[in-house]
Amino acid sequence: MSEEIGTGQPEQRDSRLKPITDGEWAGWSQWQSDAFEQRAGPFFERFEDGQGVTAFRAGQEHMNGGGFMHGGCLLTFADSALFTIARPAMEGQFGVTVNLSGDFLAAARVGQFVEARGEITRAARSLLFVRGLVTADREPVLSFTGIIKKVARR
């Protein structure tokens, strides 16, 4: 089914989302239109009780020289999660991140299940304000806030 993002029914799929049908990620979906996120993650998403959840499995490629997850990887993941969390309010529009802020709380390590959940704190006409929490094996590793600006399709 090819549905628009932000139809108010987040479980409807955008044609750029590929459903995963087997393995660890069965029941999740993955974006096919963002090459950077595919290389940085890959990141997966789904909706649970109407709320967007984004996740990935931490690999060696996500670690810094000290053996912990690179902060840039966590922030990239949080940026991706902003849009999953905000999808119900996107109203079929594209968006760009105009602000992303994060507080590192703990380290994530290879093999951990990294997940982001959050909420829309304000939805204005063209701006969406989001806050969330990234966990690694259910332990908080990053709290984040972000602002998305809705933009017209080109």
Side-chain angles (χ1 to χ4, degrees):
M1 175 186 325
S2 178
E3 296 289 334
E4 291 298 313
I5 293 174
T7 61
Q9 299 175 26
E11 57 280 346
Q12 291 182 332
R13 298 283 183 222
D14 182 289
S15 62
R16 296 166 295 166
L17 273 172
K18 176 186 172 194
I20 309 299
T21 58
D22 59 345
E24 177 181 15
W25 299 104
W28 295 76
S29 295
Q30 182 183 23
W31 283 102
Q32 298 300 300
S33 62
D34 195 317
F36 178 76
E37 284 184 11
Q38 290 171 340
R39 281 191 302 277
F43 305 140
F44 301 90
E45 69 173 61
R46 69 180 175 194
F47 278 78
E48 297 175 0
D49 299 322
Q51 288 194 305
V53 181
T54 309
F56 74 108
R57 179 71 62 189
Q60 187 60 47
E61 66 274 19
H62 303 119
M63 302 300 125
N64 63 21
F68 305 112
M69 185 170 291
H70 194 286
C73 180
L74 280 170
L75 287 171
T76 297
F77 177 64
D79 187 43
S80 177
L82 281 178
F83 289 86
T84 302
I85 295 164
R87 184 178 318 155
M90 289 297 294
E91 300 173 336
Q93 293 181 280
F94 283 98
V96 295
T97 305
V98 296
N99 181 275
L100 177 64
S101 178
D103 294 310
F104 297 99
L105 307 172
R109 294 175 169 69
V110 171
Q112 289 187 301
F113 184 80
V114 181
E115 179 181 77
R117 295 173 181 265
E119 65 181 341
I120 300 166
T121 57
R122 178 159 162 49
R125 186 168 24 127
S126 65
L127 295 175
L128 299 170
F129 298 79
V130 176
R131 70 176 166 204
L133 183 67
V134 176
T135 60
D137 289 346
R138 298 186 178 173
E139 294 297 321
V141 294
L142 176 76
S143 64
F144 64 93
T145 59
I147 304 170
I148 297 170
K149 177 161 180 57
K150 296 179 194 176
V151 295
R153 294 178 188 254
R154 294 183 184 228

